[in-house]
Amino acid sequence: MMALLEVEDLRVAYGKIEAVKGISFSVEAGEVVTLIGTNGAGKTTTLRTLSGLLKPLAGKITFEGQVLNGVGAHKIVSMGLAHSPEGRRIFPRLSIEENLQLGAFLRKDTDGIARDIDSAYERFPILGERRRQAAGTLSGGEQQMLAMGRALMSRPKLLMLDEPSMGLSPIMMQKIMATISELKSAGTTILLVEQNAQAALSLADHGHVMEIGSITLSGTGEELLHDESVRKAYLGED
Ligand code: ATP
């Protein structure tokens, strides 16, 4: 069976600087796949390319058998790929509810949108309690919940999360990771970019280590979590 997402020999450059140097990986429906690696490895560039925000230099991206190369960002959202970006990028002056509505900008089913906003409030009660408040008043972890809630509003077949744990307290981080686990149990397919390798590998079915634009190691989350080189480089062990 064909994977939901297939990335083949993808290369992406900023001018002359090649940030992604020919990576290949796939994501099966129902899986959580993680890309781990340090700052500058090319993880964010990869996600932005999958979303249609950057154009690949070479390679092939296929989603549900359809080639995504050259497809516009809006169309990619409508095909079922949602992106919760690094740094959350919520709209601080808009209310929480308005931010969620923006995640449904391509949908016309008003009743369905209202139901999904209610589901977001069930999943994240704090968002419901503060629905009329400016999103900028939320804490970092709450803003991350909003960013995830907003991405889910497009009813994605694949949810891409870029460093959801960034800048969060350990408790908030655990909460966000638990939410990702719940989404996985509910059948959501997730591509997770993380610098927190321990947390990401613990819940991922498969993982790939990225280093300066290349995938240097791949395995199940479990395999990578116990891999000696991963433990040394990313889990802070001697
Ligand atoms: P981070 O966690 O910091 O986002 P990352 O693994 O996601 O790291 P990228 O942000 O994809 O890495 O960056 C990959 C490389 O591309 C880095 O060398 C970075 O400096 C470079 N880069 C990223 N954005 C740009 C840009 N807009 N213009 C030029 N170079 C860029």
Side-chain angles (χ1 to χ4, degrees):
M1 211 184 74
M2 184 177 252
L4 181 64
L5 176 76
E6 294 267 9
V7 176
E8 293 170 63
D9 209 15
L10 181 69
R11 293 168 56 202
V12 192
Y14 300 100
K16 286 189 176 152
I17 303 165
E18 203 165 326
V20 175
K21 302 173 182 171
I23 61 166
S24 302
F25 66 94
S26 60
V27 181
E28 306 274 348
E31 268 192 325
V32 174
V33 173
T34 188
L35 303 178
I36 60 168
T38 51
N39 262 329
K43 308 179 302 296
T44 297
T45 302
T46 301
L47 289 197
R48 290 179 59 81
T49 307
L50 296 177
S51 286
L53 300 169
L54 293 171
K55 281 202 170 60
L57 197 63
K60 191 173 169 192
I61 306 166
T62 322
F63 185 67
E64 286 196 306
Q66 290 185 274
V67 176
L68 288 194
N69 300 55
V71 177
H74 284 196
K75 173 78 173 141
I76 289 177
V77 175
S78 73
M79 288 168 76
L81 233 144
H83 187 171
S84 174
E86 184 173 25
R88 342 228 196 269
R89 304 289 169 92
I90 56 135
F91 297 94
R93 287 166 184 269
L94 297 184
S95 72
I96 286 154
E97 187 143 316
E98 286 163 340
N99 270 274
L100 288 173
Q101 276 159 352
L102 281 173
F105 75 112
L106 289 171
R107 292 173 58 186
K108 304 218 158 47
D109 56 324
T110 321
D111 293 348
I113 293 170
R115 273 199 303 279
D116 286 356
I117 287 181
D118 285 341
S119 314
Y121 293 155
E122 271 167 41
R123 187 180 304 282
F124 306 112
I126 187 79
L127 300 184
E129 287 159 27
R130 297 173 61 180
R131 64 185 78 183
R132 307 268 168 246
Q133 289 181 32
T137 64
L138 295 171
S139 74
E142 291 159 358
Q143 289 188 17
Q144 183 56 51
M145 293 174 187
L146 179 57
M148 288 168 66
R150 182 182 57 188
L152 287 167
M153 287 301 297
S154 64
R155 295 208 179 161
K157 293 172 185 154
L158 174 64
L159 175 64
M160 301 195 293
L161 302 173
D162 196 348
E163 295 208 23
S165 79
M166 187 171 67
L168 302 186
S169 67
I171 288 177
M172 221 4 132
M173 191 198 78
Q174 274 178 17
K175 219 168 162 175
I176 293 295
M177 289 299 162
T179 303
I180 297 172
S181 233
E182 280 166 34
L183 290 171
K184 178 189 168 169
S185 304
T188 313
T189 310
I190 298 171
L191 178 57
L192 171 65
V193 158
E194 261 300 334
Q195 279 195 52
N196 187 328
Q198 174 86 43
L201 292 174
S202 303
L203 59 82
D205 297 292
H206 288 95
H208 306 279
V209 179
M210 273 191 88
E211 285 171 11
I212 46 173
S214 302
I215 290 178
T216 53
L217 189 64
S218 302
T220 65
E222 188 75 16
E223 281 163 1
L224 294 181
L225 202 51
H226 295 107
D227 181 273
E228 203 176 331
S229 64
V230 171
R231 300 197 70 83
K232 275 189 184 156
Y234 301 102
L235 305 176
E237 292 187 3
D238 303 322

